[in-house]
mmCIF file of all heavy atoms in Angstrom:
data_model
loop_
_atom_site.group_PDB
_atom_site.id
_atom_site.type_symbol
_atom_site.label_atom_id
_atom_site.label_comp_id
_atom_site.label_asym_id
_atom_site.label_seq_id
_atom_site.Cartn_x
_atom_site.Cartn_y
_atom_site.Cartn_z
ATOM 1 N N GLN Q 1 81.671 124.031 133.320
ATOM 2 C CA GLN Q 1 81.458 123.724 131.918
ATOM 3 C C GLN Q 1 82.433 122.649 131.458
ATOM 4 O O GLN Q 1 83.537 122.525 131.988
ATOM 5 C CB GLN Q 1 81.639 124.974 131.047
ATOM 6 C CG GLN Q 1 80.519 125.991 131.191
ATOM 7 C CD GLN Q 1 80.772 127.213 130.329
ATOM 8 O OE1 GLN Q 1 81.910 127.484 129.944
ATOM 9 N NE2 GLN Q 1 79.723 127.958 130.042
ATOM 10 N N ALA Q 2 82.018 121.854 130.481
ATOM 11 C CA ALA Q 2 82.916 120.854 129.902
ATOM 12 C C ALA Q 2 84.038 121.552 129.139
ATOM 13 O O ALA Q 2 83.799 122.492 128.385
ATOM 14 C CB ALA Q 2 82.131 119.939 128.966
ATOM 15 N N ARG Q 3 85.265 121.085 129.346
ATOM 16 C CA ARG Q 3 86.415 121.698 128.684
ATOM 17 C C ARG Q 3 86.417 121.325 127.208
ATOM 18 O O ARG Q 3 86.245 120.173 126.848
ATOM 19 C CB ARG Q 3 87.712 121.247 129.345
ATOM 20 C CG ARG Q 3 87.865 121.744 130.762
ATOM 21 C CD ARG Q 3 89.141 121.229 131.384
ATOM 22 N NE ARG Q 3 90.303 121.745 130.686
ATOM 23 C CZ ARG Q 3 91.560 121.436 131.044
ATOM 24 N NH1 ARG Q 3 91.776 120.624 132.053
ATOM 25 N NH2 ARG Q 3 92.567 121.937 130.385
ATOM 26 N N ARG Q 4 86.595 122.331 126.379
ATOM 27 C CA ARG Q 4 86.623 122.121 124.947
ATOM 28 C C ARG Q 4 88.065 121.935 124.501
ATOM 29 O O ARG Q 4 88.942 122.716 124.867
ATOM 30 C CB ARG Q 4 86.011 123.318 124.216
ATOM 31 C CG ARG Q 4 84.544 123.563 124.562
ATOM 32 C CD ARG Q 4 84.039 124.822 123.880
ATOM 33 N NE ARG Q 4 82.666 125.124 124.251
ATOM 34 C CZ ARG Q 4 82.017 126.212 123.858
ATOM 35 N NH1 ARG Q 4 82.643 127.100 123.073
ATOM 36 N NH2 ARG Q 4 80.768 126.420 124.238
ATOM 37 N N HIS Q 5 88.274 120.922 123.703
ATOM 38 C CA HIS Q 5 89.622 120.692 123.181
ATOM 39 C C HIS Q 5 89.505 119.890 121.882
ATOM 40 O O HIS Q 5 88.578 119.109 121.698
ATOM 41 C CB HIS Q 5 90.491 119.958 124.202
ATOM 42 C CG HIS Q 5 89.922 118.641 124.642
ATOM 43 N ND1 HIS Q 5 90.140 117.472 123.960
ATOM 44 C CD2 HIS Q 5 89.119 118.322 125.690
ATOM 45 C CE1 HIS Q 5 89.515 116.474 124.554
ATOM 46 N NE2 HIS Q 5 88.880 116.958 125.610
ATOM 47 N N PHE Q 6 90.451 120.123 120.983
ATOM 48 C CA PHE Q 6 90.521 119.357 119.747
ATOM 49 C C PHE Q 6 91.954 119.425 119.245
ATOM 50 O O PHE Q 6 92.777 120.196 119.744
ATOM 51 C CB PHE Q 6 89.551 119.900 118.681
ATOM 52 C CG PHE Q 6 89.828 121.320 118.259
ATOM 53 C CD1 PHE Q 6 90.750 121.613 117.259
ATOM 54 C CD2 PHE Q 6 89.150 122.376 118.852
ATOM 55 C CE1 PHE Q 6 90.996 122.916 116.871
ATOM 56 C CE2 PHE Q 6 89.380 123.687 118.472
ATOM 57 C CZ PHE Q 6 90.310 123.953 117.478
ATOM 58 N N ARG Q 7 92.265 118.604 118.253
ATOM 59 C CA ARG Q 7 93.598 118.620 117.668
ATOM 60 C C ARG Q 7 93.507 118.390 116.171
ATOM 61 O O ARG Q 7 92.639 117.655 115.689
ATOM 62 C CB ARG Q 7 94.501 117.576 118.331
ATOM 63 C CG ARG Q 7 94.050 116.133 118.161
ATOM 64 C CD ARG Q 7 95.015 115.194 118.847
ATOM 65 N NE ARG Q 7 94.735 113.800 118.520
ATOM 66 C CZ ARG Q 7 95.504 112.793 118.886
ATOM 67 N NH1 ARG Q 7 96.599 113.033 119.609
ATOM 68 N NH2 ARG Q 7 95.211 111.558 118.541
ATOM 69 N N ILE Q 8 94.408 119.028 115.439
ATOM 70 C CA ILE Q 8 94.454 118.946 113.984
ATOM 71 C C ILE Q 8 95.801 118.356 113.582
ATOM 72 O O ILE Q 8 96.846 118.870 113.998
ATOM 73 C CB ILE Q 8 94.285 120.334 113.342
ATOM 74 C CG1 ILE Q 8 92.970 120.976 113.795
ATOM 75 C CG2 ILE Q 8 94.332 120.239 111.823
ATOM 76 C CD1 ILE Q 8 92.827 122.415 113.359
ATOM 77 N N PRO Q 9 95.838 117.283 112.795
ATOM 78 C CA PRO Q 9 97.123 116.713 112.376
ATOM 79 C C PRO Q 9 97.886 117.659 111.458
ATOM 80 O O PRO Q 9 97.296 118.333 110.609
ATOM 81 C CB PRO Q 9 96.727 115.422 111.652
ATOM 82 C CG PRO Q 9 95.318 115.653 111.208
ATOM 83 C CD PRO Q 9 94.692 116.539 112.251
ATOM 84 N N VAL Q 10 99.184 117.721 111.628
ATOM 85 C CA VAL Q 10 100.027 118.614 110.829
ATOM 86 C C VAL Q 10 100.451 117.964 109.514
ATOM 87 O O VAL Q 10 100.517 118.626 108.473
ATOM 88 C CB VAL Q 10 101.275 119.033 111.639
ATOM 89 C CG1 VAL Q 10 102.282 119.765 110.766
ATOM 90 C CG2 VAL Q 10 100.862 119.906 112.818
ATOM 91 N N GLY Q 11 100.726 116.666 109.535
ATOM 92 C CA GLY Q 11 101.295 115.985 108.382
ATOM 93 C C GLY Q 11 100.481 116.068 107.104
ATOM 94 O O GLY Q 11 100.991 116.513 106.063
ATOM 95 N N PRO Q 12 99.192 115.668 107.100
ATOM 96 C CA PRO Q 12 98.426 115.673 105.839
ATOM 97 C C PRO Q 12 98.282 117.042 105.190
ATOM 98 O O PRO Q 12 98.568 117.179 103.988
ATOM 99 C CB PRO Q 12 97.067 115.097 106.277
ATOM 100 C CG PRO Q 12 97.375 114.261 107.466
ATOM 101 C CD PRO Q 12 98.478 114.973 108.186
ATOM 102 N N PRO Q 13 97.858 118.110 105.913
ATOM 103 C CA PRO Q 13 97.751 119.412 105.225
ATOM 104 C C PRO Q 13 99.100 119.960 104.774
ATOM 105 O O PRO Q 13 99.184 120.624 103.741
ATOM 106 C CB PRO Q 13 97.104 120.324 106.281
ATOM 107 C CG PRO Q 13 97.319 119.653 107.583
ATOM 108 C CD PRO Q 13 97.345 118.197 107.301
ATOM 109 N N LEU Q 14 100.165 119.661 105.527
ATOM 110 C CA LEU Q 14 101.495 120.118 105.120
ATOM 111 C C LEU Q 14 101.923 119.432 103.831
ATOM 112 O O LEU Q 14 102.441 120.084 102.910
ATOM 113 C CB LEU Q 14 102.503 119.838 106.239
ATOM 114 C CG LEU Q 14 103.945 120.273 105.966
ATOM 115 C CD1 LEU Q 14 104.035 121.789 105.799
ATOM 116 C CD2 LEU Q 14 104.873 119.811 107.097
ATOM 117 N N ALA Q 15 101.715 118.125 103.744
ATOM 118 C CA ALA Q 15 102.080 117.385 102.530
ATOM 119 C C ALA Q 15 101.267 117.854 101.327
ATOM 120 O O ALA Q 15 101.806 118.029 100.234
ATOM 121 C CB ALA Q 15 101.885 115.887 102.757
ATOM 122 N N LEU Q 16 99.960 118.067 101.519
ATOM 123 C CA LEU Q 16 99.117 118.544 100.419
ATOM 124 C C LEU Q 16 99.541 119.939 99.969
ATOM 125 O O LEU Q 16 99.550 120.240 98.763
ATOM 126 C CB LEU Q 16 97.645 118.556 100.856
ATOM 127 C CG LEU Q 16 96.975 117.190 101.013
ATOM 128 C CD1 LEU Q 16 95.570 117.342 101.579
ATOM 129 C CD2 LEU Q 16 96.938 116.450 99.688
ATOM 130 N N GLY Q 17 99.898 120.796 100.921
ATOM 131 C CA GLY Q 17 100.372 122.127 100.560
ATOM 132 C C GLY Q 17 101.664 122.090 99.785
ATOM 133 O O GLY Q 17 101.870 122.881 98.845
ATOM 134 N N LEU Q 18 102.552 121.162 100.136
ATOM 135 C CA LEU Q 18 103.841 121.054 99.456
ATOM 136 C C LEU Q 18 103.741 120.346 98.111
ATOM 137 O O LEU Q 18 104.696 120.380 97.326
ATOM 138 C CB LEU Q 18 104.839 120.310 100.356
ATOM 139 C CG LEU Q 18 105.240 121.042 101.632
ATOM 140 C CD1 LEU Q 18 106.077 120.147 102.531
ATOM 141 C CD2 LEU Q 18 106.002 122.330 101.313
ATOM 142 N N LEU Q 19 102.616 119.710 97.833
ATOM 143 C CA LEU Q 19 102.420 119.051 96.537
ATOM 144 C C LEU Q 19 101.918 120.009 95.465
ATOM 145 O O LEU Q 19 101.756 119.618 94.306
ATOM 146 C CB LEU Q 19 101.428 117.894 96.680
ATOM 147 C CG LEU Q 19 101.977 116.588 97.243
ATOM 148 C CD1 LEU Q 19 100.852 115.598 97.487
ATOM 149 C CD2 LEU Q 19 103.026 115.986 96.310
ATOM 150 N N GLN Q 20 101.666 121.260 95.826
ATOM 151 C CA GLN Q 20 101.138 122.209 94.851
ATOM 152 C C GLN Q 20 102.135 122.481 93.720
ATOM 153 O O GLN Q 20 101.744 122.593 92.550
ATOM 154 C CB GLN Q 20 100.785 123.531 95.541
ATOM 155 C CG GLN Q 20 99.617 123.422 96.503
ATOM 156 C CD GLN Q 20 99.327 124.741 97.190
ATOM 157 O OE1 GLN Q 20 98.419 125.465 96.811
ATOM 158 N NE2 GLN Q 20 100.128 125.066 98.193
ATOM 159 N N MET Q 21 103.420 122.573 94.051
ATOM 160 C CA MET Q 21 104.413 122.911 93.019
ATOM 161 C C MET Q 21 104.649 121.776 92.030
ATOM 162 O O MET Q 21 104.719 122.036 90.821
ATOM 163 C CB MET Q 21 105.717 123.368 93.667
ATOM 164 C CG MET Q 21 105.586 124.700 94.380
ATOM 165 S SD MET Q 21 107.133 125.515 94.777
ATOM 166 C CE MET Q 21 107.521 126.290 93.213
ATOM 167 N N PRO Q 22 104.791 120.504 92.466
ATOM 168 C CA PRO Q 22 104.925 119.459 91.438
ATOM 169 C C PRO Q 22 103.691 119.334 90.555
ATOM 170 O O PRO Q 22 103.810 119.094 89.350
ATOM 171 C CB PRO Q 22 105.161 118.179 92.267
ATOM 172 C CG PRO Q 22 104.732 118.501 93.638
ATOM 173 C CD PRO Q 22 104.980 119.962 93.813
ATOM 174 N N VAL Q 23 102.500 119.526 91.133
ATOM 175 C CA VAL Q 23 101.283 119.484 90.325
ATOM 176 C C VAL Q 23 101.247 120.687 89.381
ATOM 177 O O VAL Q 23 100.906 120.560 88.195
ATOM 178 C CB VAL Q 23 100.031 119.470 91.227
ATOM 179 C CG1 VAL Q 23 98.759 119.611 90.395
ATOM 180 C CG2 VAL Q 23 99.984 118.187 92.050
ATOM 181 N N GLY Q 24 101.607 121.871 89.904
ATOM 182 C CA GLY Q 24 101.629 123.067 89.070
ATOM 183 C C GLY Q 24 102.649 122.980 87.950
ATOM 184 O O GLY Q 24 102.385 123.427 86.821
ATOM 185 N N MET Q 25 103.799 122.378 88.221
ATOM 186 C CA MET Q 25 104.821 122.232 87.181
ATOM 187 C C MET Q 25 104.354 121.269 86.093
ATOM 188 O O MET Q 25 104.598 121.505 84.893
ATOM 189 C CB MET Q 25 106.135 121.747 87.810
ATOM 190 C CG MET Q 25 107.280 121.654 86.832
ATOM 191 S SD MET Q 25 108.866 121.385 87.653
ATOM 192 C CE MET Q 25 109.114 123.013 88.369
ATOM 193 N N ALA Q 26 103.692 120.193 86.486
ATOM 194 C CA ALA Q 26 103.147 119.267 85.489
ATOM 195 C C ALA Q 26 102.068 119.956 84.650
ATOM 196 O O ALA Q 26 101.991 119.746 83.433
ATOM 197 C CB ALA Q 26 102.576 118.035 86.190
ATOM 198 N N TYR Q 27 101.258 120.784 85.289
ATOM 199 C CA TYR Q 27 100.237 121.544 84.559
ATOM 200 C C TYR Q 27 100.890 122.500 83.558
ATOM 201 O O TYR Q 27 100.432 122.604 82.405
ATOM 202 C CB TYR Q 27 99.380 122.323 85.555
ATOM 203 C CG TYR Q 27 98.425 123.301 84.908
ATOM 204 C CD1 TYR Q 27 97.191 122.868 84.421
ATOM 205 C CD2 TYR Q 27 98.755 124.652 84.781
ATOM 206 C CE1 TYR Q 27 96.309 123.762 83.829
ATOM 207 C CE2 TYR Q 27 97.883 125.552 84.188
ATOM 208 C CZ TYR Q 27 96.664 125.102 83.714
ATOM 209 O OH TYR Q 27 95.798 125.997 83.119
ATOM 210 N N ASN Q 28 101.939 123.200 83.983
ATOM 211 C CA ASN Q 28 102.650 124.107 83.079
ATOM 212 C C ASN Q 28 103.161 123.374 81.843
ATOM 213 O O ASN Q 28 103.041 123.866 80.712
ATOM 214 C CB ASN Q 28 103.836 124.754 83.796
ATOM 215 C CG ASN Q 28 103.412 125.753 84.844
ATOM 216 O OD1 ASN Q 28 102.269 126.192 84.872
ATOM 217 N ND2 ASN Q 28 104.331 126.114 85.723
ATOM 218 N N LEU Q 29 103.726 122.199 82.079
ATOM 219 C CA LEU Q 29 104.297 121.436 80.972
ATOM 220 C C LEU Q 29 103.215 120.986 79.992
ATOM 221 O O LEU Q 29 103.372 121.132 78.772
ATOM 222 C CB LEU Q 29 105.052 120.224 81.514
ATOM 223 C CG LEU Q 29 105.727 119.342 80.474
ATOM 224 C CD1 LEU Q 29 106.841 120.109 79.766
ATOM 225 C CD2 LEU Q 29 106.289 118.082 81.118
ATOM 226 N N VAL Q 30 102.125 120.457 80.511
ATOM 227 C CA VAL Q 30 101.047 119.976 79.638
ATOM 228 C C VAL Q 30 100.458 121.131 78.831
ATOM 229 O O VAL Q 30 100.236 121.018 77.610
ATOM 230 C CB VAL Q 30 99.958 119.284 80.482
ATOM 231 C CG1 VAL Q 30 98.734 118.975 79.616
ATOM 232 C CG2 VAL Q 30 100.498 117.999 81.093
ATOM 233 N N MET Q 31 100.223 122.271 79.495
ATOM 234 C CA MET Q 31 99.647 123.418 78.805
ATOM 235 C C MET Q 31 100.623 124.006 77.788
ATOM 236 O O MET Q 31 100.208 124.464 76.712
ATOM 237 C CB MET Q 31 99.236 124.486 79.823
ATOM 238 C CG MET Q 31 98.094 124.071 80.725
ATOM 239 S SD MET Q 31 96.584 123.641 79.816
ATOM 240 C CE MET Q 31 96.159 125.235 79.106
ATOM 241 N N ALA Q 32 101.920 124.008 78.120
ATOM 242 C CA ALA Q 32 102.910 124.530 77.178
ATOM 243 C C ALA Q 32 102.982 123.678 75.925
ATOM 244 O O ALA Q 32 103.087 124.194 74.799
ATOM 245 C CB ALA Q 32 104.279 124.592 77.853
ATOM 246 N N ILE Q 33 102.893 122.347 76.081
ATOM 247 C CA ILE Q 33 102.963 121.448 74.929
ATOM 248 C C ILE Q 33 101.701 121.542 74.076
ATOM 249 O O ILE Q 33 101.760 121.543 72.840
ATOM 250 C CB ILE Q 33 103.194 119.998 75.403
ATOM 251 C CG1 ILE Q 33 104.601 119.866 76.009
ATOM 252 C CG2 ILE Q 33 103.020 119.005 74.260
ATOM 253 C CD1 ILE Q 33 104.887 118.508 76.610
ATOM 254 N N THR Q 34 100.563 121.651 74.723
ATOM 255 C CA THR Q 34 99.290 121.619 73.991
ATOM 256 C C THR Q 34 98.867 122.970 73.423
ATOM 257 O O THR Q 34 98.143 123.013 72.423
ATOM 258 C CB THR Q 34 98.168 121.089 74.909
ATOM 259 O OG1 THR Q 34 98.098 121.896 76.092
ATOM 260 C CG2 THR Q 34 98.437 119.644 75.305
ATOM 261 N N THR Q 35 99.310 124.060 74.035
ATOM 262 C CA THR Q 35 98.827 125.374 73.593
ATOM 263 C C THR Q 35 99.926 126.306 73.092
ATOM 264 O O THR Q 35 99.624 127.275 72.399
ATOM 265 C CB THR Q 35 98.085 126.086 74.744
ATOM 266 O OG1 THR Q 35 99.002 126.346 75.827
ATOM 267 C CG2 THR Q 35 96.946 125.224 75.276
ATOM 268 N N ASP Q 36 101.183 126.037 73.456
ATOM 269 C CA ASP Q 36 102.245 126.994 73.097
ATOM 270 C C ASP Q 36 103.545 126.257 72.797
ATOM 271 O O ASP Q 36 104.619 126.654 73.245
ATOM 272 C CB ASP Q 36 102.441 127.977 74.262
ATOM 273 C CG ASP Q 36 103.157 129.247 73.820
ATOM 274 O OD1 ASP Q 36 103.225 129.494 72.602
ATOM 275 O OD2 ASP Q 36 103.649 129.979 74.691
ATOM 276 N N PHE Q 37 103.449 125.183 72.044
ATOM 277 C CA PHE Q 37 104.602 124.312 71.831
ATOM 278 C C PHE Q 37 105.720 125.003 71.066
ATOM 279 O O PHE Q 37 106.896 124.871 71.412
ATOM 280 C CB PHE Q 37 104.162 123.048 71.081
ATOM 281 C CG PHE Q 37 105.278 122.077 70.848
ATOM 282 C CD1 PHE Q 37 105.730 121.253 71.870
ATOM 283 C CD2 PHE Q 37 105.893 121.981 69.600
ATOM 284 C CE1 PHE Q 37 106.772 120.354 71.659
ATOM 285 C CE2 PHE Q 37 106.928 121.088 69.378
ATOM 286 C CZ PHE Q 37 107.365 120.266 70.418
ATOM 287 N N GLN Q 38 105.405 125.755 70.039
ATOM 288 C CA GLN Q 38 106.434 126.343 69.174
ATOM 289 C C GLN Q 38 107.297 127.343 69.918
ATOM 290 O O GLN Q 38 108.523 127.309 69.819
ATOM 291 C CB GLN Q 38 105.776 127.008 67.963
ATOM 292 C CG GLN Q 38 106.791 127.535 66.951
ATOM 293 C CD GLN Q 38 106.120 128.030 65.685
ATOM 294 O OE1 GLN Q 38 104.902 127.966 65.548
ATOM 295 N NE2 GLN Q 38 106.914 128.522 64.741
#
């Protein structure tokens, strides 16, 4: 049988996963200013 093999790059999914917190923090700030500023 033909040998099956593949590879998945680590860099792009790791970077996207680590970008969740800066995006989430910006979301928190925008929502706090627009909905709960006082």
Side-chain angles (χ1 to χ4, degrees):
Q1 288 179 339
R3 294 178 64 180
R4 298 176 183 176
H5 57 86
F6 62 86
R7 63 180 189 173
I8 303 172
V10 170
L14 181 63
L16 288 174
L18 293 172
L19 280 173
Q20 293 178 100
M21 292 196 81
V23 173
M25 184 169 287
Y27 171 83
N28 290 345
L29 181 65
V30 171
M31 293 301 294
I33 292 175
T34 56
T35 64
D36 199 16
F37 181 78
Q38 185 173 359

